[in-house]
Every structure is written in structure tokens, then in C-alpha cells.
Amino acid sequence: MTTQTRPPAGLHEPRPGRATPGTPGRPDGDGDPTAPLALPAGGRGGRRAGRVAVLVALAILLTVAGAGVAGVSYLQGRLEAGIERLGDPFAAIPTRPENAPRTAVGDGAAAAGRAPVNILILGSDSRISAGDPSRWTAGAQRTDAIMLAQISGDRRSLTMMSIPRDSWVDVPGHGEAKINAAFSWGGPTLMIQTVEQLTGVRIDHFAVADFESFAVLTDELGGVELTLAQPLDAGGVTLEEGTHVLDGEQALAYARERYNVEGGDFGRVQRQQNWMRAIMRSIFDRELLTDPVRLMSTLEAVTRSLSLDDGLTVSKMRDLAIGARTLRPDSVRFITAPYVGTGRSPDGAQSIVLLDEPRLQEVSDAFAEDRVGEYLEEHPDAAPALGDHVD
């Protein structure tokens, strides 16, 4: 007899016939050729997994400070030089959602703060050939983190929704599969199309990152303060439970740990979000935005790790950041796409995440209609949210 992980309180049952629920456990990619490469603890791939959203969020939030730094054109030129460009991944998408904003960052209504901006953010094991579709090889590009970020139309809030990489979804042209397979099979265009089809939210911009300089970024901030609910013993890092200021290597070990975290990958998603929140708080608490020298060093560390679509220029990020200059860490919400648990693919070969489709549709509608903040306040149990306590 098979069993299923207990659904979060108040969530619906999965739609029958989609996949076979399996033994509770971690959606860890077994049997899936598109799953992330298995590397030993502390290996290069492990360090990269799942921190992309921090980088992109920082690139957007920090660029606002560039507006007050002398030599803005020089600053923008230096930052732009460090970004890998992906071209236009939207041009080849045959259909787009009709009920969501169409205005790009920095253009018209969005620049004036009248339309939300939706950015699909991925953390990838490899950005090689990301900007040259002719060199794309199925399976060569993998993503360990998928996040839909929305800056509200009034520029007063930022909502970031993580989509578990093993979520079982329909991938256009390929049938049902793990969502991270879309990036492996068809690159940014297919990934955008898959998320738009899943959510009905029109994506305005797309970003991919690796993590070579992420430890440097954390160290640029002088470390980040995190409270460990349990001892940490991973990647050569040993820390007792309690509150610590973690340096880059320690924070990487904290965020990549999966096997000793309650909930497996679900718990790791919350650790990634917790680290992101700690970085944002550190930026404001330590007045980084008022120190041009440290700011420039931090921004360069961020942008060196980014691949962006051609439309998301540093200039446009700056325009967006100016509009969102009152945004603070307490205005940022972190949630995970509603799910009911883990299971097995219909052929039994893969461990997968079963999304709560009715609840996900409600949350997605709120994104598309620029009311996700209000919706989450009115329905706090609609999606797993990052709380004060993180295991």
C-alpha cells in the first residue's frame, strides 16, 4: 500500500489520474535524466543550487542606489559589462496569457508604477551557451531553483513564489514531466511557456544565474545573521543551533543542505528564502546603500553571476528600482507554490511533487491581477509561507 505526505492544512486533494502518490520523502530526481547532477557534498554543483533569486532580487533592489551615485552612466556601463545576455526568449512563444500585464520594465506604465512586473528567475548548474540557442544541448542545462517574482504595480511590495523543481506539470510539446525538464529540453523559451501555461501569469523578464561569486557577495556584506533551529554539520561547516553571523561558505552549507532538513527539498526551499531575507535585511541594517564604494563592489558581485533577457538592461532595472525605492525587507513576501505532497510519476520511475492545482490557480490569479498581497493577507493558508521559524 502506498501513502502520501500529509498535505498542508486546508489544501485540496490532488486531481486523480495525474500521477501515483508514493512513499513520503524527498523529490530528489531519481530516474529522471533531466534531474540535477548528483555531486558529493561540498562539490561545485551543490554550491550553486538554489540561490539565484537572491542575486536577481539584489540586482533590482540595489540598483536604486545607483541613482544617487555620481557617474551613473559609468556605473551602469560597468555593471552591464558583467551580465551575460540571453537574447529575446519571448519571441518564439506561440501564445501568451491574455489576462496579465504586457508592459516591460522601464516602459510607459510599468516605469510609472501602474503595472506589476513579473520576472521568472532560475538557478542553473550551467549557463554555458545560454545566450546562443544554436549551441543548446538537451540535458546540458539544469535548474535547481525556479521562482516567480512580482513587483507590485504600486511598487510597494515584492512577492517571490518558489516552484519546486520536481513539480509534475504539462510541458508544451512534451507532455507531463518535472517542471525543471522544460529548461533542459527547450531553454528559456520553453521554461517561460511552461510557467505561463501553468499559472496564467504573463512573464515580463527572465533571469538565470550561477553561483561562483555568491560566497563573495555574502562576505561583501560582512556575513548574514541567521538563526539555526538545529545544529549544522555539512560541507565542512559545523555550527551549534542558535543565532550566528554566517560567512559565505557557512551560508552556502546552510542553504544547500537537504538530507538533514525536515521536508527535504521543501525545507531547503525555505532555507533559501530565509537566506534571501537575511541578505536583504543586512543590506538595509548595515546601510550599504549609502556607501558608494561597498555598493559598487556588491553590485558587481551580483551582476557577474547573471544571465538576463535583452530587455532587462541595467538602465531599466535602475528605473524600476527608483520606482520601488520605498521597498524594504518587511515588504517582501516569500511563498512556495501550493502542493499536496510527493508521489511517483505514472511509470513509477521518478519521485515528483504533486501541486495543489485549485489553490495554485487561486494564487496565480492573484498574481495575474496584481492583488497577490491582499490575497495572501486574506488567505494566509493558501500557500506555504516563510515564517520566523525555519528548520
Side-chain angles (χ1 to χ4, degrees):
M1 177 178 178
T2 58
T3 57
Q4 178 176 295
T5 53
R6 183 181 299 274
L11 297 190
H12 305 279
E13 294 300 316
R15 193 167 71 195
R18 295 296 298 274
T20 303
T23 302
R26 303 178 180 88
D28 52 13
D30 53 314
D32 180 5
T34 66
L37 296 173
L39 295 176
R44 190 165 175 255
R47 295 188 180 199
R48 292 174 172 175
R51 266 72 70 183
V52 60
V54 183
L55 297 170
V56 178
L58 285 174
I60 294 171
L61 293 174
L62 290 181
T63 309
V64 64
V69 177
V72 170
S73 296
Y74 173 69
L75 169 67
Q76 292 181 180
R78 284 181 62 181
L79 298 179
E80 187 68 51
I83 298 173
E84 181 183 31
R85 287 295 168 184
L86 293 165
D88 181 2
F90 301 93
I93 300 177
T95 58
R96 307 291 305 278
E98 296 297 326
N99 64 335
R102 294 177 175 272
T103 309
V105 172
D107 297 330
R114 294 193 296 270
V117 176
N118 303 311
I119 305 173
L120 181 60
I121 304 168
L122 304 186
S124 176
D125 277 344
S126 172
R127 290 191 301 147
I128 298 171
S129 78
D132 183 357
S134 67
R135 296 175 56 197
W136 195 273
T137 301
Q141 312 285 21
R142 293 175 168 83
T143 178
D144 289 304
I146 305 166
M147 183 168 286
L148 176 61
Q150 181 179 89
I151 301 175
S152 62
D154 63 11
R155 302 297 182 263
R156 295 180 180 177
S157 66
L158 170 65
T159 302
M160 310 189 81
M161 181 172 73
S162 296
I163 303 175
R165 65 180 186 177
D166 292 336
S167 299
W168 194 248
V169 304
D170 181 65
V171 178
H174 296 270
E176 292 188 322
K178 293 182 180 182
I179 193 169
N180 68 344
F183 189 53
S184 180
W185 289 336
T189 295
L190 185 58
M191 192 72 198
I192 293 167
Q193 188 180 4
T194 300
V195 173
E196 287 191 338
Q197 177 177 277
L198 175 68
T199 64
V201 177
R202 187 180 178 89
I203 306 301
D204 298 305
H205 290 287
F206 182 83
V208 185
D210 63 22
F211 309 102
E212 287 298 318
S213 60
F214 200 80
V216 175
L217 172 60
T218 301
D219 290 333
E220 287 277 356
L221 297 172
V224 296
E225 184 176 290
L226 286 169
T227 298
L228 307 183
Q230 57 185 324
L232 175 65
D233 186 5
V237 174
T238 302
L239 292 170
E240 296 297 323
E241 63 181 274
T243 300
H244 303 268
V245 175
L246 273 62
D247 63 24
E249 291 298 314
Q250 293 168 330
L252 282 167
Y254 167 81
R256 71 172 176 247
E257 176 62 21
R258 174 172 45 179
Y259 299 109
N260 294 320
V261 178
E262 184 176 351
D265 269 359
F266 300 128
R268 188 172 66 162
V269 165
Q270 289 231 320
R271 284 193 172 194
Q272 294 161 9
Q273 295 175 346
N274 194 33
W275 188 12
M276 187 188 316
R277 179 172 61 186
I279 286 179
M280 291 181 178
R281 287 175 175 170
S282 180
I283 289 168
F284 287 96
D285 290 347
R286 301 177 192 184
E287 300 182 345
L288 175 67
L289 302 182
T290 64
D291 185 335
V293 175
R294 289 186 62 210
L295 172 66
M296 187 65 200
S297 179
T298 302
L299 282 170
E300 287 187 307
V302 171
T303 55
R304 281 195 301 270
S305 298
L306 292 177
S307 294
L308 305 175
D309 71 85
D310 285 356
L312 190 53
T313 64
V314 171
S315 176
K316 287 187 176 181
M317 284 193 289
R318 176 176 170 269
D319 290 343
L320 177 61
I322 289 172
R325 59 187 174 274
T326 61
L327 191 65
R328 291 296 183 270
D330 290 342
S331 304
V332 181
R333 298 179 181 87
F334 300 91
I335 62 173
T336 301
Y339 59 87
V340 294
T342 61
R344 308 297 300 182
S345 57
D347 62 4
Q350 302 175 53
S351 175
I352 63 174
V353 170
L354 300 169
L355 295 174
D356 183 336
E357 295 179 11
R359 279 292 173 91
L360 176 59
Q361 189 59 59
E362 293 177 8
V363 174
S364 298
D365 288 346
F367 267 99
E369 297 165 11
D370 192 21
R371 55 179 181 84
V372 67
E374 297 174 18
Y375 175 81
L376 292 173
E377 288 180 5
E378 295 171 0
H379 303 86
D381 295 328
L386 181 66
D388 293 333
H389 177 86
V390 178
D391 289 325

